Amino acid sequence: MIFAVFFVKIIHYIFMFWYVILNKNISKWLKGVSFLAQTEYLYNWKWTGYNPIGVGWETCDPGHNFGPGIREFYTVHYVLSGTGTYIVKGKEYHPKAGDMFAHAPYETVYYEADAQNPWNYVWINFVINGDVPYMFEKPLVSAPELRPIFRGIQ
């Protein structure tokens, strides 16, 4: 339950920013444009707690990958469809639709879309000013009940 509350809070901030900053300013330029990947960078207001700094989605080609690499912020990916491989802290995971995989800043990660059934996912990048959620102790979490929330990002 705490996990769901954390993500609902993050999603609330993202939709607030989407409407105020992005929807009013650039949606007229994006009409009729189709994307296979899109990232929106958000301003870090340095709020206490969770500060979303980026959100995006991608429909991956077979074998598309990231890494090995690191980022300077927290990242959560939610898999909408397909599957892939995620490696963090020397362990390999196989996220599928309805799963989330997450990593903390400065962790070396690698992830790759499956060759037969590549994933389509959304991600949220954020910084945390305060206590880090326990979810970052578990690199892979099944949360199919959050699909409607994450689907709204795409």
Side-chain angles (χ1 to χ4, degrees):
M1 183 63 172
I2 294 171
F3 194 66
V5 170
F6 165 75
F7 282 104
V8 168
K9 196 173 188 182
I10 291 292
I11 296 301
H12 168 79
Y13 290 138
I14 289 167
F15 282 122
M16 179 179 68
F17 278 115
W18 177 260
Y19 179 76
V20 173
I21 295 171
L22 300 173
N23 200 24
K24 288 187 175 183
N25 295 325
I26 67 170
S27 63
K28 61 186 169 206
W29 299 315
L30 297 179
K31 294 226 186 289
V33 176
S34 135
F35 292 97
L36 292 179
Q38 183 173 352
T39 301
E40 302 296 344
Y41 296 98
L42 308 173
Y43 180 76
N44 181 359
W45 292 93
K46 300 189 187 317
W47 294 330
T48 301
Y50 309 111
N51 294 283
I53 58 172
V55 59
W57 61 271
E58 186 159 9
T59 300
C60 295
D61 290 330
H64 174 78
N65 65 64
F66 170 82
I70 61 169
R71 296 206 165 102
E72 297 178 352
F73 40 77
Y74 292 89
T75 301
V76 172
H77 287 79
Y78 185 85
V79 181
L80 296 168
S81 63
T83 188
T85 301
Y86 173 56
I87 302 172
V88 63
K89 297 179 183 175
K91 294 185 179 177
E92 185 172 307
Y93 303 90
H94 298 279
K96 62 187 180 318
D99 289 346
M100 287 189 292
F101 59 100
H103 59 87
Y106 306 105
E107 284 185 333
T108 301
V109 298
Y110 176 84
Y111 44 95
E112 181 177 327
D114 186 74
Q116 303 302 316
N117 185 19
W119 50 24
N120 172 14
Y121 56 65
V122 296
W123 68 86
I124 304 170
N125 300 326
F126 54 96
V127 294
I128 296 177
N129 299 316
D131 295 333
V132 176
Y134 76 94
M135 70 168 283
F136 288 98
E137 297 171 12
K138 294 175 132 185
L140 181 65
V141 175
S142 179
E145 68 277 7
L146 296 179
R147 181 180 169 75
I149 294 171
F150 283 97
R151 181 77 177 141
I153 292 175
Q154 188 180 25

